[in-house]
Amino acid sequence: TMSAAMVNLASDGTTFMGVFGTACVRGNATATTWANGTALPLAAQTGHQYFTGLAGSVTTFMVRDNASATTAYLTTDAAVTAWATVTLPATINGGITSVPGLFVAYNTTTSYYTSATGATGSWTARTAPAPIQLVVRDGTGSTIYAWNTTVGGPIYACTDGINFVDTGFDTITT
């Protein structure tokens, strides 16, 4: 039983992690068995809307610090030991998600970054075909969908973190 409302839940495809406040818990693949994880650093205590599991990794998760758009916290063992503080490659005012084998950190422009490890200095700068405002990952963790809700336009699909393909669907702005 959890004593606080869960703020965010993420999975890497095998392990679940729940983050609330500075606390975190990890669960098995069916989310039926849970254990306490190592607490996040205090600065990351609110929000956690940018929390993701690295698809296909089994135990790697990252959460962006809401107090600093250039800092994130990384665990490679599902928070059994302490979270590592990492410096993101730029101010990330969008979010962090993943496809199998790559973290994807995006802004609300055409700039985004990928990293196989999430570690400081491991990020590669990339350019999306259009400004990205919102990214969602499908239920299998194998595809991300990106679009811009402000200006409308195509919805793009990406399975490798690099190549965005126009799905043929467009967004509507009001």
Side-chain angles (χ1 to χ4, degrees):
T1 304
M2 293 180 217
S3 60
M6 186 156 308
V7 174
N8 207 325
L9 183 68
S11 175
D12 60 8
T14 303
T15 304
F16 283 91
M17 294 254 342
V19 175
F20 48 94
T22 58
C24 68
V25 292
R26 62 183 170 281
N28 62 354
T30 59
T32 55
T33 304
W34 292 86
N36 288 328
T38 303
L40 283 158
L42 185 60
Q45 70 180 340
T46 60
H48 305 304
Q49 67 269 34
Y50 304 121
F51 175 53
T52 189
L54 181 58
S57 74
V58 182
T59 57
T60 302
F61 293 84
M62 179 177 281
V63 58
R64 195 197 82 193
D65 187 335
N66 284 338
S68 168
T70 59
T71 302
Y73 302 98
L74 178 70
T75 177
T76 57
D77 64 3
V80 171
T81 58
W83 292 76
T85 300
V86 295
T87 301
L88 296 171
T91 298
I92 302 300
N93 58 12
I96 298 173
T97 188
S98 71
V99 293
L102 278 182
F103 282 113
V104 179
Y106 61 95
N107 287 305
T108 54
T109 66
T110 57
S111 298
Y112 76 101
Y113 304 86
T114 60
S115 171
T117 64
T120 300
S122 69
W123 296 85
T124 300
R126 303 198 185 274
T127 304
I132 297 172
Q133 186 177 19
L134 184 63
V135 173
V136 294
R137 189 167 71 174
D138 73 354
T140 67
S142 63
T143 305
I144 56 175
Y145 295 93
W147 64 92
N148 189 311
T149 59
T150 303
V151 298
I155 298 173
Y156 295 93
C158 181
T159 58
D160 62 3
I162 300 166
N163 298 297
F164 285 84
V165 177
D166 187 334
T167 64
F169 295 100
D170 286 349
T171 60
I172 299 172
T173 59
T174 55

